[in-house]
Amino acid sequence: MFITGLLLGADSSPHLGSPWQLLDYRGGTLLGAALESARECSFDQLVVTLGSASEQVHDRIDLDGVRVVESPHSDTGSSSVVPALDAVDRRADGIVVLLGDQPGITSATVWSLVAEASTPIGVSRYDDGESYPCWFGRELFGELRGLRSDADLWDPIREGTYPVTRVDAIGNIPPRATTWSAYHQLLAGDPAAHDLPLGTHLPTGPHARRRRTPT
């Protein structure tokens, strides 16, 4: 299989007031750390979306070997996934979507998802809910081109129009830096950081640990 990793780093940070991509994280930047995690996955192709902070990101983050897609309208809510699809290699069987403010995702989680997702959509299922990385097969690309925002990636998962494989991932959902509080909790390694309104992962029910593949 030919797998493209898609790291979403274009959206703005209305709750932070400064480019979240360049926040300090473990001696570097937040987006830089997420990018290094993505590189460790050894994707056949790695695509990164950048928005209004693109010039600053280029100045401070090593983007060698990465296909960069400029998405300047993402600050107004437009999807950066849509222009990124034009950069996906024609040989790609599908894309693994990652978030630039969620550096804790591991290559083991990614490749478990790829190996076990036998349906057009695959979702990582942690102990406390569902989140990224997500898998979308090439047959979903047409559907994804109609996204209005990146958060709408979860619509085809919720709607059940396509079969979805939920793949178990170890531990809790890796925290994100969506607010200053979440950012400081991320720095402190507090797993409760994800427990703020993210608008990206789905709730789970009492049978969340049982694998389901809807038809």
Side-chain angles (χ1 to χ4, degrees):
M1 293 180 69
F2 189 106
I3 308 298
T4 293
L6 174 55
L7 183 66
L8 303 182
D11 62 320
S12 60
S13 49
H15 299 294
L16 297 174
S18 61
W20 61 263
Q21 295 88 345
L22 303 177
L23 291 175
D24 291 335
Y25 185 76
R26 295 187 177 179
T29 64
L30 183 58
L31 180 60
L35 180 57
E36 286 309 306
S37 295
R39 283 191 170 111
E40 290 174 2
C41 297
S42 299
F43 292 112
D44 297 291
Q45 179 193 26
L46 181 55
V47 177
V48 177
T49 63
L50 298 179
S52 59
S54 176
E55 184 175 348
Q56 296 161 282
V57 169
H58 276 277
D59 287 341
R60 294 192 51 191
I61 296 177
D62 177 13
L63 297 171
D64 286 349
V66 176
R67 178 67 183 272
V68 176
V69 174
E70 303 291 345
S71 184
H73 301 297
S74 61
D75 285 356
T76 60
S78 297
S79 175
S80 66
V81 174
V82 176
L85 289 173
D86 291 331
V88 173
D89 194 289
R90 293 183 179 182
R91 296 170 290 175
D93 294 285
I95 58 175
V96 173
V97 182
L98 305 162
L99 299 181
D101 67 348
Q102 196 175 28
I105 292 176
T106 66
S107 59
T109 298
V110 167
W111 289 111
S112 291
L113 175 70
V114 172
E116 297 187 43
S118 58
T119 55
I121 302 175
V123 180
S124 297
R125 181 171 60 192
Y126 297 86
D127 291 345
D128 57 348
E130 296 174 359
S131 187
Y132 297 90
C134 296
W135 159 261
F136 294 92
R138 176 169 284 279
E139 59 267 50
L140 263 293
F141 286 9
E143 176 92 4
L144 298 183
R145 289 186 183 278
L147 295 178
R148 294 165 298 175
S149 71
D150 289 347
D152 290 341
L153 272 172
W154 287 90
D155 287 350
I157 299 171
R158 293 187 178 102
E159 292 166 358
T161 305
Y162 301 91
V164 179
T165 302
R166 272 119 177 142
V167 178
D168 290 337
I170 297 174
N172 291 335
I173 297 170
R176 297 178 54 199
T178 54
T179 65
W180 283 117
S181 175
Y183 167 59
H184 289 300
Q185 288 174 328
L186 176 62
L187 291 180
D190 185 348
H194 80 275
D195 196 29
L196 291 156
L198 305 182
T200 54
H201 65 270
L202 303 178
T204 56
H207 304 296
R209 295 300 298 171
R210 185 175 63 193
R211 187 181 305 285
R212 296 186 295 118
T213 305
T215 57

